[in-house]
């Protein structure tokens, strides 16, 4: 695909992302990417490397809202 298929409007970009994700998931090598012990281990390693990414604290509680 050499030519743009989606416009730059928000709805078009959402459609583009959904189509891209569907194409990625349709590939045989990607079907089990989010399942199983290997996926759990991959997520645990990533979370350990990015401790401040989540909005939740280390114990899982929501932070207090700022006033």
């Amino acid at each position: 695909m050499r030519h743009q298929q989606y416009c730059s409007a928000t709805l078009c970009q959402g459609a583009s992302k959904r189509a891209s994700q569907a194409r990625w998931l349709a590939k045989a090598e990607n079907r089990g990417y989010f399942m199983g012990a290997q996926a759990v281990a991959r997520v645990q390693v990533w979370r350990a490397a990015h401790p401040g990414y989540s909005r939740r604290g280390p114990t899982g509680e929501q932070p207090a809202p700022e006033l």
Side-chain angles (χ1 to χ4, degrees), residues 19-60:
S20 174
Q21 289 176 332
R23 281 191 309 273
W24 183 87
L25 194 56
K27 292 180 182 177
E29 65 268 19
N30 297 333
R31 289 200 181 126
Y33 187 80
F34 298 105
M35 295 183 280
Q38 187 177 11
V40 171
R42 183 178 57 248
V43 170
Q44 288 173 339
V45 168
W46 188 91
R47 285 182 177 167
H50 301 86
Y53 184 80
S54 176
R55 289 190 225 181
R56 295 175 186 255
T59 60

